[in-house]
Amino acid sequence: MIIQPKVRGFICTNAHPQGCAANVREQIEYIKSQPAVEGGPKNVLVVGASTGYGLASRITSAFGCGANTLGVFFEKPPTEKRTGSAGYYNSAAFEDEAHKAGLYAKSINGDAFSDEIKAQAIDMIKQDLGKIDLVIYSLASPRRTDPKTGELYSSVLKPIGESYTAKNLNTDKLEISDISVDPANEEEIAATVKVMGGEDWELWMQALGEAGVLTDDCKTVAYTYIGEKLTWPIYGHATIGKAKEDLDRAAKAISDSGNASANVAVLKALVTQSSSAIPVMPLYISLVYKVMKEEGTHEGCIEQLYRLYTEGLYTDTPRLDNVNRFRMDDKELRAETQAKIEKLWPEVTEENLFQLTDYKGYSDDFLKLFGFGVNGVDYAAETSPVVEADFK
Ligand code: NAD
């Protein structure tokens, strides 16, 4: 088939196998161009390993540290008639490249929130790796089934306390208008914490600890975003921010349990399949790209992850804040950078969107997440969507 992007609202419903593979190779090349991570991990479990920050963590572990990796994700395999999801193609390409480099790389495609997938991962670690010394927790999901009760929880992206009206870019129609979001009720806040909070991270670490598959010096990290004034009402101080606060509680509980040394890492705002779904974020990220590219401080997932390993996880002098979080959002949150973004924010209109913001960069990166618009890929060519992969 000829595979062209099918964008519906803030998602793209198909993906290009060769484009996704090229993206993975580009990230691998970036990591190989950097000095190796000194004292890095040997055996790594990445939960949420197929796209965005989790994929970049897996690539940094394998190609920056020479680590064996076990990846867990939830992705759609292709059929003769339908493409697979981007994360499926990314992971198939990652495994190919890792195997070519002589590195162990296996993956489990299933619901990471379930007890079954945790047990399967533990069996594979016991059988293949013995113990692991780094667990990356990089899940982003709109819903979670509680493994103990079977109840399904859905997260919401809403403010807390009062409704919030803000400028929003409709990326489908390129229209800018105010959107108003009503505040979440208590039940919605609790459900969001249940999905995106620290409970499942704790359950993973507890299961791995009880199974005896963690090294004595094992580290674990989960990712968060904090942001600044412009995004606080819809992110930092909203339902998702409440869920993310719960990661701080979980990090302390995991460290106290003795299973691993746990930290939260604060990463910068970037376009991923998850962030494109959050109101206000596409316009904010387009401004971040504009200002940070002009400053020469722009970074993608892979650059952020390399810094997390070298300036956070594997250094004697990590940059931690007062609640023990690694701060990789330092460049985005610089006062000068935020001041420039805040000045531009009210000035952006549909007419000057491409001049005042880097919406072009945002939109190119969005399509790239699905393997489209990648240099060297022939999108007019007849392409089979089927890519074999040996995921469990
Ligand atoms: P993403 O959508 O690119 O990745 C999500 C990953 O989770 C994928 O590998 C997906 O397969 C996996 N996943 C989802 N549900 C699953 C399930 N039930 N079982 C197994 N795997 C499942 O998202 P991302 O933006 O890379 O987000 C990863 C983490 O980074 C999140 O905690 C997010 O809050 C955080 N973060 C993101 C940003 C940003 O701007 N994108 C900034 C800072 C922090």
Side-chain angles (χ1 to χ4, degrees), residues 36 41 44 46 56 66 75 110 143 155 163 166 204 234 241 286 294 352 356:
V44 182
V46 184
E75 298 294 346
R143 59 193 71 85
S155 63
S163 61
W204 267 100
I234 196 68
S286 302
E294 280 173 5
N352 63 25
L356 290 199

Side-chain angles (χ1 to χ4, degrees), residues 360-377:
K360 166 101 177 59
Y362 176 93
S363 145
D364 288 351
D365 276 5
F366 174 78
L367 286 175
K368 220 176 145 189
L369 295 175
F370 305 91
F372 296 109
V374 179
N375 282 339
V377 177

Side-chain angles (χ1 to χ4, degrees), residues 46-55 72-75 110-113 136-144 153 155 157 192 194-197 200-201 204 222-225 235 240 243-244 247 267 270-278:
V46 184
V47 184
S50 53
T51 54
Y53 278 124
L55 173 65
V72 180
F73 45 75
F74 211 6
E75 298 294 346
D111 182 7
F113 295 127
I136 299 285
Y137 190 83
S138 185
L139 281 191
S141 171
R143 59 193 71 85
R144 168 176 173 229
Y153 293 90
S155 63
L157 293 163
T192 307
K194 198 80 183 160
V195 179
M196 288 296 286
D200 183 60
W201 182 26
W204 267 100
Y223 299 149
T224 193
Y225 179 70
Y235 199 108
I240 179 77
K244 292 294 190 181
L247 291 178
L267 304 176
L270 273 177
V271 55
T272 65
Q273 293 187 38
S274 299
S275 65
S276 59
I278 304 174

Side-chain angles (χ1 to χ4, degrees), residues 69-85:
T69 59
L70 174 59
V72 180
F73 45 75
F74 211 6
E75 298 294 346
K76 190 162 54 74
T79 65
E80 293 289 344
K81 294 207 180 99
R82 274 180 71 108
T83 75
S85 55

